[in-house]
Amino acid sequence: EVQLLESGGGLVQPGGSLRLSCEASGFLLGHSDMNWVRQGPGKGFEWVASMYNRDGGTSYAQSVKGRFTVSRDNVKNTMYLQMNSLKTEDTALYYCATPRSRGSRSSDRDDYAYWGQGTQVTVSS
């Protein structure tokens, strides 16, 4: 059974940092493209970042580029999202998810096969 478990969210002041984790079971993270997506209060789903299985490459939404970094530990079968210089607009429920199509950067929930339960990030002074 495929499961994704996010953790690491919390309350942080603007300019602060958090590291989110996504622990996978039932499959190997390194064999699948993996995305981080988020849903802010009153907003739709937003693609945040991707890590690609073929070469470990990454891509980022313009809104987080230069501040967020995706990484992966194949031994722990865990993906991470390092978030620096956080802004109030980063407040959201963050999910890791497996896209149905390779290379997808979709913000449509239906384009994802598996999701975790999410971890809440709140950026506030």
Side-chain angles (χ1 to χ4, degrees), residues 68-87:
F68 291 12
T69 303
V70 180
S71 62
R72 184 177 67 208
D73 184 329
N74 289 336
V75 174
K76 295 182 178 179
N77 209 30
T78 299
M79 181 174 68
Y80 303 98
L81 183 67
Q82 177 66 43
M83 306 186 297
N84 298 329
S85 303
L86 282 161
K87 305 176 181 180

Side-chain angles (χ1 to χ4, degrees), residues 98-117:
T98 59
R100 296 184 189 277
S101 299
R102 177 170 289 183
S104 173
R105 303 178 185 180
S106 175
S107 294
D108 185 340
R109 187 174 183 127
D110 290 339
D111 290 337
Y112 291 88
Y114 298 102
W115 293 74
Q117 84 293 343

Side-chain angles (χ1 to χ4, degrees), residues 89-105:
E89 52 263 44
D90 294 318
T91 294
L93 188 59
Y94 283 73
Y95 301 90
C96 60
T98 59
R100 296 184 189 277
S101 299
R102 177 170 289 183
S104 173
R105 303 178 185 180

